Amino acid sequence: QVQLVESGGGWVLPGGSLTLSCAASERTLRRYAMGWFRQAPGKEREFVAGSKWNNIEYYADSVKGRFTISKDTRKGTVYLQMNSLKPEDTAVYYCAADSSWPMTTSGIDYWGKGTLVTVSS
């Protein structure tokens, strides 16, 4: 059973930074592609960033250059460093693990419960 637990959400001013964490296990990180998705109020869940088994990273165009996904495999943890945050980044952010690539909302094997990020002045 794969468990994913997100943390690190909160409120931040526009232009600020926040780092999200996803606690999983070393076995999970070695077996699955890992990624982050988000769902804003009234919108569908969308891909944000992903890291394949070979550690190649992929980003949505809307966050490219501002967000960075990283993994500490020994700790079994995935991170999402978010810089230059904008109000439109406000959403519930979900950690995801998937046995296939690319990672799509409808095909994810395991989801975390999410953590809320609010960007507002």
Side-chain angles (χ1 to χ4, degrees):
Q1 182 71 14
V2 173
Q3 291 188 329
L4 307 173
V5 181
E6 303 94 337
S7 61
W11 172 79
V12 63
L13 289 168
S17 299
L18 210 58
T19 300
L20 305 183
S21 300
C22 172
S25 68
E26 179 176 356
R27 183 168 183 261
T28 297
L29 267 61
R30 292 190 184 281
R31 183 174 180 181
Y32 295 92
M34 302 297 298
W36 291 91
F37 287 70
R38 69 185 180 186
Q39 188 166 16
K43 295 188 177 181
E44 297 195 351
R45 195 171 298 189
E46 63 177 4
F47 172 79
V48 174
S51 178
K52 293 180 67 174
W53 307 269
N54 54 7
N55 293 323
I56 293 179
E57 302 162 8
Y58 294 86
Y59 298 92
D61 288 342
S62 59
V63 307
K64 206 170 291 183
R66 300 188 298 121
F67 290 12
T68 303
I69 186 172
S70 62
K71 297 184 294 188
D72 186 329
T73 303
R74 290 184 63 184
K75 290 185 177 180
T77 303
V78 183
Y79 304 96
L80 184 67
Q81 173 68 44
M82 305 184 293
N83 298 325
S84 302
L85 282 160
K86 306 174 181 180
E88 51 263 43
D89 294 318
T90 295
V92 177
Y93 284 72
Y94 297 90
C95 182
D98 198 11
S99 54
S100 61
W101 190 269
M103 303 180 80
T104 60
T105 307
S106 60
I108 294 298
D109 292 330
Y110 299 100
W111 292 102
K113 292 185 178 181
T115 185
L116 176 63
V117 173
T118 303
V119 185
S120 174
S121 55

